Amino acid sequence: MKSRFERRKNWLLDFQDAFCDLQDLRDTTEIPEYLRGGNPFCSIRTWCKIKKMKDRFHQLRKRAQFIQTLVVNEGACSPGLSSTASHVDIATIFGRDNAKEEIIKMLFSTAYRRDGCVTVSRIVGMTGVGKTTLAQIVYNDDRVREHFDRTMWVCVNHDFDHSRILREMMVSDSQKINYTSSSQNQLYEEFLKFVGEKKRVLLVLDGVRTFNNGDWNKLLYLLKMGEIESSVLVTSQRSDVCSAMGMGVQNVYTLDPLNDSGSWALFQQSAFTQGNCPPELESFGREIVGKCKGLPLAVKAMGGLLQNNLDARKWRKISQLDVCEAEKVCRSEKPNILPMLKVSYNHLPSYLKPLFSYCSLLPKGHSFNQKELAQFWMAESLIQPQGQETMEETASEHFDDLLMRSFFHRISPHNKSQDYNYMMHDLYHELARYISSPYCCPVEDSKKHNFSAKIRHISLGCRDVEEVVFDVEEAVLEIIDKCKKVRTLLFPNYHLKKEFGQALDKMFKSLKYMRVLDLSSSTILELPKSVKELKLLRYLNLSKTEIKRLPDSICKLFYLQTLKLLECPQFSQLPQNLAKLINLRHLELDEEFWCKTTKLPPRIGSLTSLHTLYKFPIRRKVGYGIEELEGMSYLTGMLYISKLENAVNAGEAKLNKKESLRKLVLEWSSGDDALQDEAAQLRVLEDLRPHSDLKELQIFNFRGTVFPLWMTEGQLQNLVTVSLKFCTRCRVLSLGGLPHLEKINIKGMQELEELQELGSTLP
């Protein structure tokens, strides 16, 4: 007979499966009738599916009545979360000497003092990195003990409750007195007794997960009483919580994982009583430690599993496994790693949990781009914007939230012009895999895959190494056979040889619920016309392929949000009916493609959700005029408008409403056939006044003698760079004194005689 836990688990899996099917049904029925083929029997079939779905949820509701469920408030503390104390065995700490000195310097330095006479410092880092341990060795340092008259240690962990924290502060200071029944006023009086004695107080708040401003301000007010030199040391996984506590950037210490030598010393101390690894086991031991990626929690757990064990076969076996797998194989009575990491996951708001789970599809050690991950999330309908926010803005906020909670960490770019990339620690990656199973299926090259009907998201060859053994065509055919409801199919390994053979056309005709499809770096030369069958597709990546053009049938993908064709040197033409993709948000092509482009498909203005449009050449034909830009309010980054001699009523472009544009290029053609009279050109340029947030402006081949007032009177106060090339008739140039202007490029302006009021920051 199944246990109550198993029945509850199975019910939840069945409910989630039914909910996914309901989403598929909803999205399918919302496709416009003309794209569904106009079959009169479609509505009958849809009605039957809806009826079956209602019956299915009815059965789930009946089953739920017989299952005793445990309701846990969101953000509540996990039952397995233990309290911490201030004592620590210094002999078991390695590699934290520099960190200890930095924290002590923060506590003692007046440079970090905030809010009158209270210094607030904090240690931030991911779960298991050793924040509490570092706070303990600082707390017990002789210099700290001598400097402060009273030291108090409070393990917060739960909600940031002012009364509970104050009570535990008093108990920490005087454990002989029972403050359990004391009222808040009595606690205030007791605390103010030694505050009145002008004693210096150190308060450690360990494990702050949530807090509210009201309780924090009350606590801070008490510590400020009596003009004592109080200090607060906070440990938290969340850097945003610490920032919200009224602390500046300069008194944050971000605790990184241990280096190799510190990790190895800690492992030896955990695995051997004498603290020395036998030479014959050292190679296995170092491989095991390397997989811990410097996380003390994992290093100590692995050392504990092998404690005083000298069996080389066991060490070899453990060295070949991932850290969390090793705990399972060794039948650890009390696994430490995943349960501890899962506490952090349990404290996530409900809207962040599926976003983190989806990251299980990324390869371990894989650096990822924030924008691309957000596009995945949006394609899977995991982002629900609030109010006037766009999906991109909401996704960016959620990403930053996960970053501030230490689930991601930032990688510095090689040069300043590049965007930041991000990574997940390997153990957080294993946590994501554990949580997302069985719906997410990351398949590594050397492991057997076990595809099932429940799987919705698949990542093939997700180990970023060159030695990849993977038959892509065979794997895709197996997915077609076993995973009819798959929504995501990624091939994240750039070294993987992606030859689909006949599988691509079969996939398009069979996997009706696909939302995310990445075919980048594959050998495809032509996209089958059957791509139109992927009616729910929202993300399609064809980058780094030899594809030359797209079939016009792709324009039937009503839901498509992102279309990528980067590094496709042979690609030369967008489909004629591109304007039918009314939900398209990101059209990503190389600058080389746009430079060669002389015309776009007609009625591009129908794409009112589009964020990226590098170039817009104007033509004097219906559907190609500058008025097409009017409704494209979300254009972001750069916009290059060429052939301005064809512009009529340029003000209809509404550039002053496009607040996300950062770079604008305005170009008239250079040939004699492009000549306009001066008044016409000036009128066009006047009507193209951009939004005041613009950072860079370039104007080419303007033949007027003066520039419009929005340029000469300095209305674009945020401009950093201005380029004026071949504006051959201009004699006087004034930009109205732009406060942020750093660079001005002038070329081919033979009649220029005078420069006036450029920018206050120019030399």
Side-chain angles (χ1 to χ4, degrees):
M1 185 176 179
K2 291 183 179 180
S3 68
R4 185 187 305 161
F5 173 79
E6 288 176 321
R7 283 184 290 166
R8 184 164 60 242
K9 180 181 177 181
N10 290 337
W11 183 90
L12 288 170
L13 289 173
D14 290 343
F15 178 83
Q16 188 168 349
D17 203 44
F19 181 75
C20 289
D21 288 344
L22 180 62
Q23 285 181 316
D24 291 339
L25 179 59
R26 179 202 62 191
D27 290 351
T28 302
T29 55
E30 288 181 356
I31 297 173
E33 186 68 31
Y34 72 91
L35 292 174
R36 283 187 273 160
N39 189 332
F41 294 103
C42 283
S43 58
I44 298 175
R45 285 200 297 266
T46 300
W47 183 86
C48 292
K49 289 179 181 178
I50 292 173
K51 186 178 184 303
K52 287 182 179 179
M53 189 63 67
K54 289 177 66 177
D55 293 341
R56 188 173 172 186
F57 276 96
H58 178 69
Q59 291 300 319
L60 283 167
R61 187 165 60 249
K62 286 176 63 176
R63 283 173 56 195
Q65 295 172 359
F66 297 97
I67 299 174
Q68 181 181 353
T69 58
L70 176 65
V71 179
V72 180
N73 290 329
E74 185 176 299
C77 187
S78 169
L81 192 63
S82 59
S83 296
T84 61
S86 60
H87 58 269
V88 65
D89 183 0
I90 302 297
T92 64
I93 310 302
F94 300 93
R96 294 306 192 196
D97 291 340
N98 291 338
K100 181 184 77 170
E101 294 303 319
E102 286 294 322
I103 300 300
I104 292 175
K105 181 180 176 182
M106 284 182 179
L107 295 178
F108 291 176
S109 175
T110 57
Y112 296 111
R113 205 158 294 286
R114 290 287 182 272
D115 297 300
C117 54
V118 179
T119 300
V120 186
S121 307
R122 67 265 204 216
I123 305 169
V124 175
M126 67 176 287
T127 297
V129 79
K131 302 182 295 295
T132 296
T133 301
L134 178 56
Q136 288 168 334
I137 60 177
V138 168
Y139 186 86
N140 289 285
D141 187 271
D142 290 339
R143 292 166 293 172
V144 173
R145 291 289 187 176
E146 290 175 7
H147 182 80
F148 294 100
D149 301 300
R150 302 287 178 96
T151 56
M152 303 174 178
W153 181 283
V154 177
C155 176
V156 180
N157 274 341
H158 308 274
D159 294 334
F160 195 94
D161 180 75
H162 166 255
S163 297
R164 181 180 68 83
I165 290 173
L166 184 57
R167 184 173 288 108
E168 293 191 22
M169 285 168 59
M170 303 303 297
V171 171
S172 176
D173 179 68
S174 180
Q175 297 185 3
K176 296 179 180 179
I177 303 175
N178 185 2
Y179 291 98
T180 306
S181 59
S182 300
S183 67
Q184 192 172 81
N185 288 335
Q186 289 173 323
L187 291 171
Y188 283 170
E189 291 175 5
E190 289 295 326
F191 184 79
L192 290 176
K193 282 181 182 179
F194 62 82
V195 168
E197 298 169 6
K198 296 189 177 182
K199 294 185 179 294
R200 285 184 289 201
V201 176
L202 170 63
L203 170 62
V204 176
L205 298 176
D206 184 43
V208 176
R209 297 180 181 276
T210 61
F211 97 109
N212 63 74
N213 278 309
D215 280 358
W216 168 249
N217 289 332
K218 289 178 184 177
L219 187 60
L220 198 61
Y221 176 77
L222 282 175
L223 292 170
K224 289 164 63 176
M225 297 290 288
E227 298 184 358
I228 56 174
E229 292 183 11
S230 296
S231 290
V232 181
L233 179 60
V234 178
T235 72
S236 179
Q237 183 183 348
R238 296 178 52 174
S239 61
D240 62 326
V241 164
C242 297
S243 297
M245 285 179 157
M247 315 168 203
V249 174
Q250 64 268 34
N251 55 344
V252 179
Y253 188 88
T254 301
L255 186 59
D256 294 322
L258 289 170
N259 58 25
D260 291 343
S261 60
S263 296
W264 179 243
L266 179 60
F267 177 78
Q268 289 190 101
Q269 192 272 336
S270 303
F272 301 99
T273 305
Q274 302 300 321
N276 292 310
C277 179
E280 64 272 16
L281 300 177
E282 184 170 342
S283 62
F284 300 130
R286 289 193 179 276
E287 193 168 346
I288 292 168
V289 170
K291 292 183 178 182
C292 296
K293 300 293 183 182
L295 197 69
L297 169 68
V299 174
K300 291 170 72 174
M302 290 297 98
L305 286 178
L306 295 166
Q307 195 167 43
N308 296 321
N309 188 303
L310 302 179
D311 185 352
R313 290 175 300 177
K314 183 172 183 178
W315 280 65
R316 182 186 296 108
K317 183 178 181 180
I318 296 299
S319 70
Q320 295 170 349
L321 299 173
D322 289 329
V323 173
C324 294
E325 288 178 332
E327 276 202 316
K328 292 179 185 177
V329 169
C330 291
R331 296 182 176 86
S332 175
E333 293 182 5
K334 188 178 179 182
N336 291 316
I337 302 171
L338 274 183
M340 284 295 294
L341 295 177
K342 196 169 184 296
V343 170
S344 302
Y345 172 81
N346 291 340
H347 280 80
L348 287 176
S350 58
Y351 55 84
L352 290 182
K353 289 180 177 178
L355 305 185
F356 171 71
S357 299
Y358 194 85
C359 295
S360 65
L361 298 174
L362 304 175
K364 277 188 182 179
H366 171 82
S367 64
F368 52 87
N369 178 272
Q370 176 182 355
K371 181 180 177 182
E372 183 175 45
L373 184 58
Q375 289 169 349
F376 290 160
W377 289 342
M378 291 189 297
E380 296 293 347
S381 301
L382 300 177
I383 302 296
Q384 303 299 324
Q386 301 294 322
Q388 299 299 313
E389 283 188 337
T390 64
M391 281 200 290
E392 287 78 6
E393 289 169 340
T394 303
S396 179
E397 289 176 5
H398 292 348
F399 185 95
D400 289 343
D401 203 345
L402 287 168
L403 177 65
M404 287 187 290
R405 293 169 186 265
S406 303
F407 283 87
F408 304 147
H409 61 270
R410 183 183 285 125
I411 303 172
S412 298
H414 294 298
N415 58 66
K416 293 182 179 179
S417 63
Q418 293 178 321
D419 292 332
Y420 282 106
N421 270 11
Y422 301 85
M423 290 184 71
M424 275 199 311
H425 192 281
D426 282 2
L427 291 175
Y428 268 147
H429 191 275
E430 290 192 36
L431 174 66
R433 289 190 176 190
Y434 169 76
I435 290 165
S436 63
S437 177
Y439 298 104
C440 292
C441 180
V443 181
E444 297 183 354
D445 59 287
S446 59
K447 297 187 177 182
K448 293 182 179 179
H449 43 268
N450 185 22
F451 295 133
S452 70
K454 281 190 178 295
I455 292 174
R456 305 278 175 163
H457 312 284
I458 299 175
S459 179
L460 289 176
C462 61
R463 175 169 288 186
D464 198 13
V465 293
E466 294 189 30
E467 301 80 16
V468 179
V469 180
F470 212 104
D471 189 325
V472 170
E473 183 178 8
E474 180 183 333
V476 170
L477 290 173
E478 188 175 352
I479 291 169
I480 292 170
D481 182 51
K482 296 181 178 179
C483 309
K484 301 291 186 183
K485 298 177 182 179
V486 71
R487 295 180 171 190
T488 302
L489 185 55
L490 302 177
F491 301 89
N493 191 326
Y494 300 122
H495 307 293
L496 186 65
K497 190 175 183 181
K498 303 170 191 174
E499 294 181 345
F500 293 95
Q502 300 300 313
L504 203 58
D505 184 59
K506 291 181 180 179
M507 177 172 65
F508 291 169
K509 293 176 179 177
S510 302
L511 304 181
K512 306 286 188 180
Y513 304 112
M514 188 81 74
R515 267 86 163 170
V516 174
L517 180 59
D518 181 4
L519 300 176
S520 63
S521 302
S522 65
T523 59
I524 63 171
L525 301 175
E526 184 178 351
L527 196 66
K529 294 180 180 179
S530 54
V531 69
K532 67 180 181 181
E533 301 299 331
L534 300 178
K535 290 183 170 60
L536 303 185
L537 193 67
R538 290 166 165 83
Y539 176 98
L540 178 60
N541 192 348
L542 298 167
S543 299
K544 298 182 180 179
T545 63
E546 296 299 315
I547 198 165
K548 294 181 179 179
R549 61 179 60 197
L550 298 172
D552 211 48
S553 61
I554 198 173
C555 299
K556 293 187 177 182
L557 300 181
F558 173 74
Y559 285 111
L560 193 65
Q561 297 173 349
T562 300
L563 177 59
K564 291 189 174 187
L565 289 150
L566 299 168
E567 297 184 51
C568 296
Q570 303 299 320
F571 188 75
S572 60
Q573 186 177 345
L574 290 167
Q576 188 70 3
N577 290 315
L578 186 73
K580 291 183 178 180
L581 298 176
I582 59 174
N583 289 300
L584 193 65
R585 307 177 74 88
H586 301 280
L587 177 62
E588 300 186 17
L589 299 112
D590 287 322
E591 186 174 343
E592 182 182 352
F593 168 84
W594 293 110
C595 289
K596 295 186 295 185
T597 296
T598 57
K599 68 174 184 177
L600 292 177
R603 298 178 299 281
I604 201 79
S606 300
L607 308 181
T608 55
S609 296
L610 196 65
H611 283 59
T612 49
L613 181 66
Y614 183 90
K615 187 176 182 181
F616 184 81
I618 304 169
R619 300 176 67 193
R620 291 188 178 181
K621 290 180 66 176
V622 175
Y624 297 91
I626 197 169
E627 66 276 2
E628 293 294 320
L629 295 173
E630 180 178 2
M632 305 179 79
S633 304
Y634 298 111
L635 290 180
T636 304
M638 175 178 171
L639 176 61
Y640 188 147
I641 305 177
S642 63
K643 299 184 181 297
L644 278 168
E645 65 274 8
N646 295 323
V648 179
N649 298 325
E652 293 183 5
K654 296 287 192 296
L655 294 188
N656 61 330
K657 302 294 184 181
K658 300 179 187 353
E659 58 186 41
S660 296
L661 283 181
R662 294 296 174 262
K663 179 178 179 180
L664 177 64
V665 181
L666 302 174
E667 181 185 46
W668 282 262
S669 299
S670 57
D672 292 338
D673 58 337
L675 289 176
Q676 287 179 324
D677 62 72
E678 178 184 340
Q681 288 208 2
L682 180 58
R683 189 163 53 249
V684 167
L685 194 54
E686 283 177 340
D687 290 343
L688 292 177
R689 178 172 66 88
H691 192 274
S692 59
D693 285 346
L694 194 73
K695 300 289 186 184
E696 183 173 352
L697 175 66
Q698 296 184 9
I699 299 176
F700 300 154
N701 303 320
F702 173 66
R703 293 181 177 85
T705 57
V706 295
F707 287 102
L709 293 179
W710 58 262
M711 286 183 63
T712 60
E713 293 185 352
Q715 294 180 21
L716 304 182
Q717 290 287 292
N718 292 298
L719 274 180
V720 176
T721 303
V722 174
S723 297
L724 304 172
K725 297 183 180 180
F726 304 105
C727 302
T728 54
R729 298 180 182 176
C730 179
R731 295 183 178 181
V732 178
L733 177 60
S734 171
L735 298 179
L738 301 174
H740 302 291
L741 189 64
E742 297 177 0
K743 187 176 182 181
I744 180 167
N745 299 314
I746 298 174
K747 182 178 180 180
M749 297 178 65
Q750 295 90 340
E751 297 189 25
L752 184 64
E753 298 175 353
E754 186 178 356
L755 296 175
Q756 300 176 354
E757 290 189 278
L758 297 181
S760 57
T761 60
L762 286 174

